Amino acid sequence: MVTFVIERTISAPQDEVFAWLNDSSNYTAAPLCLREKRTRDGVDAPYGKGAMREVTGAGAWFREEITSFDPPREFGYLIHKSFPTIEHKGGAIRVEPVPGGSHVTWTTEFTVPLRGGGKAFERLAGPLLRTAFGQILAACDKQLAGSRR
């Protein structure tokens, strides 16, 4: 099982950071994220609970559902289908106000079944996803905090 947490403080208000991260079309600002498409709107917002999205990255594709939506604090997601195959246990992005901005905590947990490469692929997937998530948070920081400088 791969479990990891990525954290970053961004010099922008909580509501702006939450809105940027919740709208995964912004993820393409990160080098490893190539394409994003919302395939179903959420119940309470375009990227709210029940929304479905597809994200294509360098060497990977994910079909995800937003499973919880509590703006501007937190949203959760679950990957239903992916290439390479993973069994996702869930993920969440939490945004908390801190002096001078917002602290983001992005968590995810998954396993790779034997048909997807098993433990050997887990050792590769963890660092790659950690890098991709870090790039997304850096892009958020650059766009939101950079516009204030």
Side-chain angles (χ1 to χ4, degrees):
M1 174 141 351
V2 177
T3 303
F4 63 85
V5 177
I6 301 293
E7 296 184 75
R8 185 175 184 124
T9 298
I10 296 172
S11 298
Q14 179 186 28
D15 59 333
E16 290 180 25
V17 173
F18 179 89
W20 195 98
L21 290 168
N22 180 245
D23 180 349
S24 54
S25 69
N26 291 316
Y27 296 5
T28 58
L32 290 177
C33 187
L34 307 174
R35 188 172 150 281
E36 182 278 347
K37 180 181 178 183
R38 187 177 67 242
T39 59
R40 182 176 74 201
D41 284 350
V43 175
D44 39 10
Y47 284 94
K49 187 174 180 179
M52 295 292 289
R53 61 191 189 185
E54 295 180 3
V55 179
T56 303
W61 171 84
F62 306 96
R63 179 178 295 143
E64 305 173 339
E65 178 180 10
I66 303 299
T67 56
S68 63
F69 184 68
D70 182 18
R73 204 173 127 265
E74 182 175 23
F75 68 93
Y77 65 97
L78 183 66
I79 298 170
H80 289 288
K81 192 170 186 179
S82 67
F83 176 82
T85 300
I86 67 169
E87 293 175 358
H88 196 232
K89 309 300 182 191
I93 296 178
R94 176 183 291 267
V95 182
E96 299 175 294
V98 295
S102 302
H103 187 77
V104 178
T105 305
W106 190 337
T107 61
T108 196
E109 187 174 339
F110 64 93
T111 59
V112 179
L114 192 55
R115 70 183 183 280
K119 296 291 181 194
F121 188 71
E122 281 183 7
R123 286 191 288 279
L124 296 173
L128 183 60
L129 285 175
R130 191 181 319 274
T131 298
F133 289 4
Q135 288 179 349
I136 291 167
L137 293 179
C140 177
D141 191 24
K142 182 178 179 182
Q143 286 188 5
L144 294 181
S147 68
R148 291 174 160 54
R149 294 183 183 133

PDB file of all heavy atoms in Angstrom, residues 18-52:
ATOM      1  N   PHE A  18      -8.687  26.970  -2.480  1.00  0.00           N
ATOM      2  CA  PHE A  18      -9.637  25.861  -2.608  1.00  0.00           C
ATOM      3  C   PHE A  18     -10.244  25.829  -4.012  1.00  0.00           C
ATOM      4  O   PHE A  18     -10.290  24.781  -4.654  1.00  0.00           O
ATOM      5  CB  PHE A  18     -10.753  25.974  -1.561  1.00  0.00           C
ATOM      6  CG  PHE A  18     -11.761  24.866  -1.671  1.00  0.00           C
ATOM      7  CD1 PHE A  18     -11.589  23.684  -0.980  1.00  0.00           C
ATOM      8  CD2 PHE A  18     -12.880  25.003  -2.484  1.00  0.00           C
ATOM      9  CE1 PHE A  18     -12.510  22.641  -1.105  1.00  0.00           C
ATOM     10  CE2 PHE A  18     -13.811  23.979  -2.617  1.00  0.00           C
ATOM     11  CZ  PHE A  18     -13.619  22.791  -1.916  1.00  0.00           C
ATOM     12  N   ALA A  19     -10.697  26.986  -4.491  1.00  0.00           N
ATOM     13  CA  ALA A  19     -11.338  27.052  -5.814  1.00  0.00           C
ATOM     14  C   ALA A  19     -10.363  26.613  -6.906  1.00  0.00           C
ATOM     15  O   ALA A  19     -10.742  25.877  -7.822  1.00  0.00           O
ATOM     16  CB  ALA A  19     -11.859  28.460  -6.086  1.00  0.00           C
ATOM     17  N   TRP A  20      -9.105  27.037  -6.828  1.00  0.00           N
ATOM     18  CA  TRP A  20      -8.116  26.671  -7.847  1.00  0.00           C
ATOM     19  C   TRP A  20      -7.875  25.161  -7.830  1.00  0.00           C
ATOM     20  O   TRP A  20      -7.864  24.519  -8.880  1.00  0.00           O
ATOM     21  CB  TRP A  20      -6.810  27.418  -7.595  1.00  0.00           C
ATOM     22  CG  TRP A  20      -5.846  27.401  -8.741  1.00  0.00           C
ATOM     23  CD1 TRP A  20      -5.671  28.379  -9.673  1.00  0.00           C
ATOM     24  CD2 TRP A  20      -4.921  26.355  -9.093  1.00  0.00           C
ATOM     25  NE1 TRP A  20      -4.692  28.001 -10.577  1.00  0.00           N
ATOM     26  CE2 TRP A  20      -4.215  26.761 -10.244  1.00  0.00           C
ATOM     27  CE3 TRP A  20      -4.620  25.111  -8.546  1.00  0.00           C
ATOM     28  CZ2 TRP A  20      -3.238  25.989 -10.850  1.00  0.00           C
ATOM     29  CZ3 TRP A  20      -3.649  24.330  -9.155  1.00  0.00           C
ATOM     30  CH2 TRP A  20      -2.965  24.769 -10.290  1.00  0.00           C
ATOM     31  N   LEU A  21      -7.687  24.580  -6.651  1.00  0.00           N
ATOM     32  CA  LEU A  21      -7.396  23.145  -6.547  1.00  0.00           C
ATOM     33  C   LEU A  21      -8.615  22.281  -6.864  1.00  0.00           C
ATOM     34  O   LEU A  21      -8.478  21.188  -7.405  1.00  0.00           O
ATOM     35  CB  LEU A  21      -6.851  22.810  -5.161  1.00  0.00           C
ATOM     36  CG  LEU A  21      -5.445  23.341  -4.893  1.00  0.00           C
ATOM     37  CD1 LEU A  21      -5.101  23.223  -3.424  1.00  0.00           C
ATOM     38  CD2 LEU A  21      -4.423  22.634  -5.768  1.00  0.00           C
ATOM     39  N   ASN A  22      -9.804  22.754  -6.540  1.00  0.00           N
ATOM     40  CA  ASN A  22     -11.006  21.974  -6.811  1.00  0.00           C
ATOM     41  C   ASN A  22     -11.295  21.895  -8.313  1.00  0.00           C
ATOM     42  O   ASN A  22     -11.800  20.888  -8.791  1.00  0.00           O
ATOM     43  CB  ASN A  22     -12.198  22.576  -6.055  1.00  0.00           C
ATOM     44  CG  ASN A  22     -13.468  21.825  -6.299  1.00  0.00           C
ATOM     45  OD1 ASN A  22     -14.402  22.366  -6.877  1.00  0.00           O
ATOM     46  ND2 ASN A  22     -13.525  20.574  -5.878  1.00  0.00           N
ATOM     47  N   ASP A  23     -10.932  22.924  -9.056  1.00  0.00           N
ATOM     48  CA  ASP A  23     -11.128  22.942 -10.507  1.00  0.00           C
ATOM     49  C   ASP A  23      -9.908  22.300 -11.162  1.00  0.00           C
ATOM     50  O   ASP A  23      -8.911  22.964 -11.450  1.00  0.00           O
ATOM     51  CB  ASP A  23     -11.313  24.380 -10.988  1.00  0.00           C
ATOM     52  CG  ASP A  23     -11.516  24.496 -12.483  1.00  0.00           C
ATOM     53  OD1 ASP A  23     -11.318  23.497 -13.213  1.00  0.00           O
ATOM     54  OD2 ASP A  23     -11.856  25.614 -12.926  1.00  0.00           O
ATOM     55  N   SER A  24      -9.990  21.010 -11.409  1.00  0.00           N
ATOM     56  CA  SER A  24      -8.813  20.283 -11.893  1.00  0.00           C
ATOM     57  C   SER A  24      -8.387  20.669 -13.306  1.00  0.00           C
ATOM     58  O   SER A  24      -7.332  20.228 -13.759  1.00  0.00           O
ATOM     59  CB  SER A  24      -9.022  18.774 -11.775  1.00  0.00           C
ATOM     60  OG  SER A  24     -10.204  18.376 -12.406  1.00  0.00           O
ATOM     61  N   SER A  25      -9.142  21.505 -13.986  1.00  0.00           N
ATOM     62  CA  SER A  25      -8.645  22.006 -15.279  1.00  0.00           C
ATOM     63  C   SER A  25      -7.380  22.838 -15.067  1.00  0.00           C
ATOM     64  O   SER A  25      -6.563  22.968 -15.972  1.00  0.00           O
ATOM     65  CB  SER A  25      -9.721  22.815 -16.009  1.00  0.00           C
ATOM     66  OG  SER A  25      -9.984  24.032 -15.346  1.00  0.00           O
ATOM     67  N   ASN A  26      -7.198  23.361 -13.862  1.00  0.00           N
ATOM     68  CA  ASN A  26      -5.989  24.116 -13.534  1.00  0.00           C
ATOM     69  C   ASN A  26      -4.748  23.229 -13.458  1.00  0.00           C
ATOM     70  O   ASN A  26      -3.626  23.717 -13.561  1.00  0.00           O
ATOM     71  CB  ASN A  26      -6.158  24.840 -12.193  1.00  0.00           C
ATOM     72  CG  ASN A  26      -7.164  25.963 -12.282  1.00  0.00           C
ATOM     73  OD1 ASN A  26      -7.157  26.744 -13.229  1.00  0.00           O
ATOM     74  ND2 ASN A  26      -8.043  26.047 -11.299  1.00  0.00           N
ATOM     75  N   TYR A  27      -4.927  21.936 -13.252  1.00  0.00           N
ATOM     76  CA  TYR A  27      -3.796  21.025 -13.064  1.00  0.00           C
ATOM     77  C   TYR A  27      -2.878  20.987 -14.287  1.00  0.00           C
ATOM     78  O   TYR A  27      -1.706  20.634 -14.176  1.00  0.00           O
ATOM     79  CB  TYR A  27      -4.263  19.610 -12.728  1.00  0.00           C
ATOM     80  CG  TYR A  27      -4.998  19.467 -11.417  1.00  0.00           C
ATOM     81  CD1 TYR A  27      -5.331  20.564 -10.622  1.00  0.00           C
ATOM     82  CD2 TYR A  27      -5.390  18.221 -10.975  1.00  0.00           C
ATOM     83  CE1 TYR A  27      -6.018  20.416  -9.434  1.00  0.00           C
ATOM     84  CE2 TYR A  27      -6.066  18.057  -9.778  1.00  0.00           C
ATOM     85  CZ  TYR A  27      -6.391  19.164  -9.004  1.00  0.00           C
ATOM     86  OH  TYR A  27      -7.064  19.005  -7.827  1.00  0.00           O
ATOM     87  N   THR A  28      -3.416  21.332 -15.448  1.00  0.00           N
ATOM     88  CA  THR A  28      -2.590  21.302 -16.656  1.00  0.00           C
ATOM     89  C   THR A  28      -1.501  22.382 -16.633  1.00  0.00           C
ATOM     90  O   THR A  28      -0.633  22.380 -17.508  1.00  0.00           O
ATOM     91  CB  THR A  28      -3.454  21.437 -17.926  1.00  0.00           C
ATOM     92  OG1 THR A  28      -4.191  22.660 -17.867  1.00  0.00           O
ATOM     93  CG2 THR A  28      -4.397  20.246 -18.063  1.00  0.00           C
ATOM     94  N   ALA A  29      -1.518  23.255 -15.657  1.00  0.00           N
ATOM     95  CA  ALA A  29      -0.432  24.219 -15.479  1.00  0.00           C
ATOM     96  C   ALA A  29       0.832  23.527 -14.955  1.00  0.00           C
ATOM     97  O   ALA A  29       1.910  24.107 -14.986  1.00  0.00           O
ATOM     98  CB  ALA A  29      -0.855  25.337 -14.523  1.00  0.00           C
ATOM     99  N   ALA A  30       0.698  22.289 -14.500  1.00  0.00           N
ATOM    100  CA  ALA A  30       1.839  21.501 -14.012  1.00  0.00           C
ATOM    101  C   ALA A  30       2.393  20.666 -15.173  1.00  0.00           C
ATOM    102  O   ALA A  30       1.619  20.095 -15.953  1.00  0.00           O
ATOM    103  CB  ALA A  30       1.406  20.599 -12.866  1.00  0.00           C
ATOM    104  N   PRO A  31       3.699  20.566 -15.301  1.00  0.00           N
ATOM    105  CA  PRO A  31       4.297  19.871 -16.450  1.00  0.00           C
ATOM    106  C   PRO A  31       3.851  18.420 -16.652  1.00  0.00           C
ATOM    107  O   PRO A  31       3.696  17.984 -17.793  1.00  0.00           O
ATOM    108  CB  PRO A  31       5.803  19.922 -16.153  1.00  0.00           C
ATOM    109  CG  PRO A  31       5.977  21.082 -15.244  1.00  0.00           C
ATOM    110  CD  PRO A  31       4.715  21.170 -14.442  1.00  0.00           C
ATOM    111  N   LEU A  32       3.626  17.653 -15.587  1.00  0.00           N
ATOM    112  CA  LEU A  32       3.264  16.246 -15.750  1.00  0.00           C
ATOM    113  C   LEU A  32       1.777  16.011 -16.008  1.00  0.00           C
ATOM    114  O   LEU A  32       1.368  14.898 -16.311  1.00  0.00           O
ATOM    115  CB  LEU A  32       3.704  15.430 -14.522  1.00  0.00           C
ATOM    116  CG  LEU A  32       5.209  15.237 -14.363  1.00  0.00           C
ATOM    117  CD1 LEU A  32       5.526  14.481 -13.080  1.00  0.00           C
ATOM    118  CD2 LEU A  32       5.807  14.514 -15.566  1.00  0.00           C
ATOM    119  N   CYS A  33       0.961  17.058 -15.899  1.00  0.00           N
ATOM    120  CA  CYS A  33      -0.481  16.920 -16.145  1.00  0.00           C
ATOM    121  C   CYS A  33      -0.774  17.469 -17.547  1.00  0.00           C
ATOM    122  O   CYS A  33      -0.631  18.658 -17.802  1.00  0.00           O
ATOM    123  CB  CYS A  33      -1.287  17.662 -15.100  1.00  0.00           C
ATOM    124  SG  CYS A  33      -3.053  17.347 -15.240  1.00  0.00           S
ATOM    125  N   LEU A  34      -1.178  16.581 -18.428  1.00  0.00           N
ATOM    126  CA  LEU A  34      -1.319  16.945 -19.835  1.00  0.00           C
ATOM    127  C   LEU A  34      -2.725  17.373 -20.241  1.00  0.00           C
ATOM    128  O   LEU A  34      -2.906  18.213 -21.108  1.00  0.00           O
ATOM    129  CB  LEU A  34      -0.888  15.761 -20.703  1.00  0.00           C
ATOM    130  CG  LEU A  34       0.503  15.199 -20.393  1.00  0.00           C
ATOM    131  CD1 LEU A  34       0.769  13.954 -21.214  1.00  0.00           C
ATOM    132  CD2 LEU A  34       1.569  16.259 -20.604  1.00  0.00           C
ATOM    133  N   ARG A  35      -3.744  16.769 -19.595  1.00  0.00           N
ATOM    134  CA  ARG A  35      -5.127  17.040 -20.017  1.00  0.00           C
ATOM    135  C   ARG A  35      -6.076  16.750 -18.865  1.00  0.00           C
ATOM    136  O   ARG A  35      -5.847  15.843 -18.076  1.00  0.00           O
ATOM    137  CB  ARG A  35      -5.451  16.143 -21.210  1.00  0.00           C
ATOM    138  CG  ARG A  35      -6.758  16.421 -21.884  1.00  0.00           C
ATOM    139  CD  ARG A  35      -6.846  15.583 -23.173  1.00  0.00           C
ATOM    140  NE  ARG A  35      -8.190  15.217 -23.520  1.00  0.00           N
ATOM    141  CZ  ARG A  35      -8.924  14.245 -22.987  1.00  0.00           C
ATOM    142  NH1 ARG A  35      -8.457  13.495 -22.068  1.00  0.00           N
ATOM    143  NH2 ARG A  35     -10.137  13.995 -23.375  1.00  0.00           N
ATOM    144  N   GLU A  36      -7.173  17.494 -18.829  1.00  0.00           N
ATOM    145  CA  GLU A  36      -8.227  17.273 -17.835  1.00  0.00           C
ATOM    146  C   GLU A  36      -9.559  17.507 -18.505  1.00  0.00           C
ATOM    147  O   GLU A  36      -9.687  18.392 -19.346  1.00  0.00           O
ATOM    148  CB  GLU A  36      -8.061  18.227 -16.660  1.00  0.00           C
ATOM    149  CG  GLU A  36      -9.064  18.063 -15.546  1.00  0.00           C
ATOM    150  CD  GLU A  36     -10.423  18.745 -15.774  1.00  0.00           C
ATOM    151  OE1 GLU A  36     -10.544  19.567 -16.711  1.00  0.00           O
ATOM    152  OE2 GLU A  36     -11.354  18.476 -15.008  1.00  0.00           O
ATOM    153  N   LYS A  37     -10.547  16.690 -18.147  1.00  0.00           N
ATOM    154  CA  LYS A  37     -11.890  16.868 -18.702  1.00  0.00           C
ATOM    155  C   LYS A  37     -12.915  16.492 -17.634  1.00  0.00           C
ATOM    156  O   LYS A  37     -12.854  15.411 -17.061  1.00  0.00           O
ATOM    157  CB  LYS A  37     -12.067  15.962 -19.924  1.00  0.00           C
ATOM    158  CG  LYS A  37     -13.428  16.062 -20.566  1.00  0.00           C
ATOM    159  CD  LYS A  37     -13.531  15.116 -21.746  1.00  0.00           C
ATOM    160  CE  LYS A  37     -14.910  15.191 -22.362  1.00  0.00           C
ATOM    161  NZ  LYS A  37     -15.053  14.232 -23.457  1.00  0.00           N
ATOM    162  N   ARG A  38     -13.839  17.416 -17.375  1.00  0.00           N
ATOM    163  CA  ARG A  38     -14.948  17.098 -16.467  1.00  0.00           C
ATOM    164  C   ARG A  38     -16.015  16.399 -17.299  1.00  0.00           C
ATOM    165  O   ARG A  38     -16.469  16.930 -18.305  1.00  0.00           O
ATOM    166  CB  ARG A  38     -15.492  18.371 -15.818  1.00  0.00           C
ATOM    167  CG  ARG A  38     -16.527  18.088 -14.736  1.00  0.00           C
ATOM    168  CD  ARG A  38     -17.020  19.361 -14.037  1.00  0.00           C
ATOM    169  NE  ARG A  38     -17.783  20.200 -14.936  1.00  0.00           N
ATOM    170  CZ  ARG A  38     -17.452  21.437 -15.292  1.00  0.00           C
ATOM    171  NH1 ARG A  38     -16.363  22.001 -14.837  1.00  0.00           N
ATOM    172  NH2 ARG A  38     -18.212  22.123 -16.123  1.00  0.00           N
ATOM    173  N   THR A  39     -16.411  15.212 -16.899  1.00  0.00           N
ATOM    174  CA  THR A  39     -17.377  14.436 -17.683  1.00  0.00           C
ATOM    175  C   THR A  39     -18.767  14.445 -17.065  1.00  0.00           C
ATOM    176  O   THR A  39     -19.726  14.032 -17.712  1.00  0.00           O
ATOM    177  CB  THR A  39     -16.898  12.983 -17.860  1.00  0.00           C
ATOM    178  OG1 THR A  39     -16.726  12.387 -16.572  1.00  0.00           O
ATOM    179  CG2 THR A  39     -15.586  12.937 -18.640  1.00  0.00           C
ATOM    180  N   ARG A  40     -18.874  14.893 -15.819  1.00  0.00           N
ATOM    181  CA  ARG A  40     -20.183  15.036 -15.177  1.00  0.00           C
ATOM    182  C   ARG A  40     -20.073  16.107 -14.108  1.00  0.00           C
ATOM    183  O   ARG A  40     -19.128  16.123 -13.326  1.00  0.00           O
ATOM    184  CB  ARG A  40     -20.611  13.703 -14.535  1.00  0.00           C
ATOM    185  CG  ARG A  40     -22.004  13.789 -13.888  1.00  0.00           C
ATOM    186  CD  ARG A  40     -22.457  12.449 -13.335  1.00  0.00           C
ATOM    187  NE  ARG A  40     -21.739  12.139 -12.104  1.00  0.00           N
ATOM    188  CZ  ARG A  40     -21.613  10.911 -11.611  1.00  0.00           C
ATOM    189  NH1 ARG A  40     -22.113   9.864 -12.241  1.00  0.00           N
ATOM    190  NH2 ARG A  40     -20.969  10.705 -10.490  1.00  0.00           N
ATOM    191  N   ASP A  41     -21.037  17.018 -14.092  1.00  0.00           N
ATOM    192  CA  ASP A  41     -21.065  18.055 -13.065  1.00  0.00           C
ATOM    193  C   ASP A  41     -21.457  17.473 -11.720  1.00  0.00           C
ATOM    194  O   ASP A  41     -22.189  16.477 -11.647  1.00  0.00           O
ATOM    195  CB  ASP A  41     -22.072  19.151 -13.431  1.00  0.00           C
ATOM    196  CG  ASP A  41     -21.567  20.077 -14.518  1.00  0.00           C
ATOM    197  OD1 ASP A  41     -20.379  20.004 -14.879  1.00  0.00           O
ATOM    198  OD2 ASP A  41     -22.374  20.891 -15.008  1.00  0.00           O
ATOM    199  N   GLY A  42     -21.001  18.128 -10.682  1.00  0.00           N
ATOM    200  CA  GLY A  42     -21.389  17.751  -9.336  1.00  0.00           C
ATOM    201  C   GLY A  42     -22.782  18.254  -9.010  1.00  0.00           C
ATOM    202  O   GLY A  42     -23.361  19.067  -9.741  1.00  0.00           O
ATOM    203  N   VAL A  43     -23.299  17.797  -7.896  1.00  0.00           N
ATOM    204  CA  VAL A  43     -24.640  18.168  -7.467  1.00  0.00           C
ATOM    205  C   VAL A  43     -24.711  19.636  -7.063  1.00  0.00           C
ATOM    206  O   VAL A  43     -25.631  20.351  -7.446  1.00  0.00           O
ATOM    207  CB  VAL A  43     -25.075  17.282  -6.269  1.00  0.00           C
ATOM    208  CG1 VAL A  43     -26.410  17.725  -5.708  1.00  0.00           C
ATOM    209  CG2 VAL A  43     -25.118  15.823  -6.677  1.00  0.00           C
ATOM    210  N   ASP A  44     -23.706  20.105  -6.322  1.00  0.00           N
ATOM    211  CA  ASP A  44     -23.750  21.439  -5.738  1.00  0.00           C
ATOM    212  C   ASP A  44     -22.821  22.449  -6.402  1.00  0.00           C
ATOM    213  O   ASP A  44     -22.844  23.617  -6.071  1.00  0.00           O
ATOM    214  CB  ASP A  44     -23.458  21.367  -4.240  1.00  0.00           C
ATOM    215  CG  ASP A  44     -22.374  20.349  -3.895  1.00  0.00           C
ATOM    216  OD1 ASP A  44     -21.723  19.835  -4.822  1.00  0.00           O
ATOM    217  OD2 ASP A  44     -22.193  20.071  -2.712  1.00  0.00           O
ATOM    218  N   ALA A  45     -21.994  21.992  -7.326  1.00  0.00           N
ATOM    219  CA  ALA A  45     -21.057  22.859  -8.049  1.00  0.00           C
ATOM    220  C   ALA A  45     -20.481  22.042  -9.203  1.00  0.00           C
ATOM    221  O   ALA A  45     -20.523  20.807  -9.163  1.00  0.00           O
ATOM    222  CB  ALA A  45     -19.936  23.320  -7.108  1.00  0.00           C
ATOM    223  N   PRO A  46     -19.939  22.704 -10.230  1.00  0.00           N
ATOM    224  CA  PRO A  46     -19.393  21.939 -11.351  1.00  0.00           C
ATOM    225  C   PRO A  46     -18.416  20.839 -10.913  1.00  0.00           C
ATOM    226  O   PRO A  46     -18.474  19.719 -11.408  1.00  0.00           O
ATOM    227  CB  PRO A  46     -18.703  23.003 -12.205  1.00  0.00           C
ATOM    228  CG  PRO A  46     -19.492  24.241 -11.936  1.00  0.00           C
ATOM    229  CD  PRO A  46     -19.873  24.148 -10.472  1.00  0.00           C
ATOM    230  N   TYR A  47     -17.527  21.148  -9.974  1.00  0.00           N
ATOM    231  CA  TYR A  47     -16.589  20.157  -9.449  1.00  0.00           C
ATOM    232  C   TYR A  47     -16.975  19.747  -8.025  1.00  0.00           C
ATOM    233  O   TYR A  47     -16.122  19.363  -7.227  1.00  0.00           O
ATOM    234  CB  TYR A  47     -15.155  20.685  -9.482  1.00  0.00           C
ATOM    235  CG  TYR A  47     -14.542  20.683 -10.866  1.00  0.00           C
ATOM    236  CD1 TYR A  47     -14.586  21.818 -11.668  1.00  0.00           C
ATOM    237  CD2 TYR A  47     -13.933  19.545 -11.366  1.00  0.00           C
ATOM    238  CE1 TYR A  47     -14.020  21.818 -12.935  1.00  0.00           C
ATOM    239  CE2 TYR A  47     -13.368  19.532 -12.637  1.00  0.00           C
ATOM    240  CZ  TYR A  47     -13.413  20.670 -13.411  1.00  0.00           C
ATOM    241  OH  TYR A  47     -12.860  20.671 -14.673  1.00  0.00           O
ATOM    242  N   GLY A  48     -18.263  19.803  -7.720  1.00  0.00           N
ATOM    243  CA  GLY A  48     -18.765  19.434  -6.398  1.00  0.00           C
ATOM    244  C   GLY A  48     -18.984  17.928  -6.271  1.00  0.00           C
ATOM    245  O   GLY A  48     -18.622  17.145  -7.160  1.00  0.00           O
ATOM    246  N   LYS A  49     -19.617  17.535  -5.181  1.00  0.00           N
ATOM    247  CA  LYS A  49     -19.854  16.120  -4.902  1.00  0.00           C
ATOM    248  C   LYS A  49     -20.591  15.471  -6.072  1.00  0.00           C
ATOM    249  O   LYS A  49     -21.579  15.989  -6.571  1.00  0.00           O
ATOM    250  CB  LYS A  49     -20.667  15.954  -3.620  1.00  0.00           C
ATOM    251  CG  LYS A  49     -20.802  14.506  -3.206  1.00  0.00           C
ATOM    252  CD  LYS A  49     -21.483  14.374  -1.867  1.00  0.00           C
ATOM    253  CE  LYS A  49     -21.582  12.891  -1.510  1.00  0.00           C
ATOM    254  NZ  LYS A  49     -22.198  12.695  -0.212  1.00  0.00           N
ATOM    255  N   GLY A  50     -20.056  14.319  -6.497  1.00  0.00           N
ATOM    256  CA  GLY A  50     -20.639  13.587  -7.613  1.00  0.00           C
ATOM    257  C   GLY A  50     -20.033  13.917  -8.965  1.00  0.00           C
ATOM    258  O   GLY A  50     -20.281  13.216  -9.941  1.00  0.00           O
ATOM    259  N   ALA A  51     -19.234  14.996  -9.041  1.00  0.00           N
ATOM    260  CA  ALA A  51     -18.583  15.335 -10.310  1.00  0.00           C
ATOM    261  C   ALA A  51     -17.639  14.204 -10.714  1.00  0.00           C
ATOM    262  O   ALA A  51     -17.028  13.560  -9.867  1.00  0.00           O
ATOM    263  CB  ALA A  51     -17.805  16.644 -10.182  1.00  0.00           C
ATOM    264  N   MET A  52     -17.553  13.980 -12.006  1.00  0.00           N
ATOM    265  CA  MET A  52     -16.604  13.010 -12.549  1.00  0.00           C
ATOM    266  C   MET A  52     -15.623  13.775 -13.417  1.00  0.00           C
ATOM    267  O   MET A  52     -16.020  14.681 -14.162  1.00  0.00           O
ATOM    268  CB  MET A  52     -17.320  11.946 -13.386  1.00  0.00           C
ATOM    269  CG  MET A  52     -18.263  11.054 -12.614  1.00  0.00           C
ATOM    270  SD  MET A  52     -17.475   9.944 -11.439  1.00  0.00           S
ATOM    271  CE  MET A  52     -16.680   8.788 -12.543  1.00  0.00           C
TER     272      MET A  52
END
